[in-house]
Amino acid sequence: MKDCSFCKMFNERKYIQYEDSLFWGMFDFNPVSPGHILIIPKKHVIDLDSLSKDGWDRLQRSIRDIIHLIETTDLKQIYQSIIDLHVSDNSVWFATQALNNPNINKKPDAYNHGINDGKAAGRTVDHLHWHIIPRFEGDMDDPRGGVRYVIPKMGNYKLPKP
């Protein structure tokens, strides 16, 4: 699709850090933590319902491959290149935070996985993409609730409520 930024990047062969038969991957320009990466279908697919059974099967293998990539890539080099690209002022800020993170180039202790499957869920690019966000012991005071924090006060269901 010509107006899709992910399709355009893939067709121009830009920023590709991973590729298999159905998916490609790129490090997020606005990383939440060092190694934050996106897995993106090569075919223009908007939502999970549009992903084929073969796509689901391949996605599982891609996730494993991408985790290996995160754990073996020199992330300092990745974030310096994002800073040099200066995609936006925000991308420079986020990449600088990742570059200065004490966990850069350390093996993550865990991962958050997620998608924003629809505009109401926060999707900003109308092309399916799977986020893998590395997590490190101590990267926040209490990580319980994880992805539940998309609605902050609902995140930690273990805390007493009024």
Side-chain angles (χ1 to χ4, degrees):
M1 179 169 235
K2 71 177 185 159
D3 293 334
C4 173
S5 59
F6 288 150
C7 288
K8 183 176 179 181
M9 282 186 254
F10 181 72
N11 290 334
E12 293 176 358
R13 308 297 297 165
K14 288 186 171 180
Y15 317 119
I16 297 170
Q17 297 288 327
Y18 167 84
E19 184 173 4
D20 64 27
S21 60
L22 297 178
F23 295 92
W24 66 283
M26 65 177 280
F27 286 96
D28 196 301
F29 290 146
N30 303 301
V32 173
S33 72
H36 179 176
I37 198 164
L38 306 175
I39 303 175
I40 307 162
K42 290 180 175 180
K43 179 182 170 191
H44 187 77
V45 174
I46 294 176
D47 53 30
L48 280 176
D49 284 344
S50 302
L51 199 60
S52 69
K53 165 113 173 63
D54 287 342
W56 269 108
D57 292 343
R58 183 62 233 171
L59 179 60
Q60 291 173 21
R61 288 184 294 240
S62 298
I63 289 168
R64 285 192 296 271
D65 293 347
I66 290 275
I67 286 172
H68 177 74
L69 177 70
I70 292 167
E71 294 176 357
T72 59
T73 296
D74 181 358
L75 297 174
K76 289 181 180 181
Q77 196 171 38
I78 295 294
Y79 295 117
Q80 188 58 58
S81 69
I82 290 172
I83 291 167
D84 294 344
L85 280 170
H86 200 112
V87 174
S88 70
D89 289 344
N90 275 354
S91 70
V92 170
W93 186 88
F94 277 96
T96 300
Q97 298 306 302
L99 194 58
N100 294 326
N101 189 300
N103 294 310
I104 194 157
N105 288 337
K106 290 184 182 173
K107 185 177 187 282
D109 298 305
Y111 294 91
N112 284 113
H113 296 259
I115 61 165
N116 301 320
D117 201 12
K119 288 193 186 305
R123 182 178 64 214
T124 57
V125 178
D126 284 331
H127 189 129
L128 180 65
H129 51 290
W130 184 282
H131 293 259
I132 299 178
I133 302 172
R135 298 299 304 275
F136 302 89
E137 291 291 332
D139 64 3
M140 63 182 294
D141 289 338
D142 185 358
R144 287 181 295 183
V147 297
R148 293 176 53 90
Y149 275 99
V150 296
I151 300 176
K153 69 179 182 179
M154 304 303 280
N156 192 337
Y157 57 89
K158 297 279 190 176
L159 291 177
K161 303 296 180 205

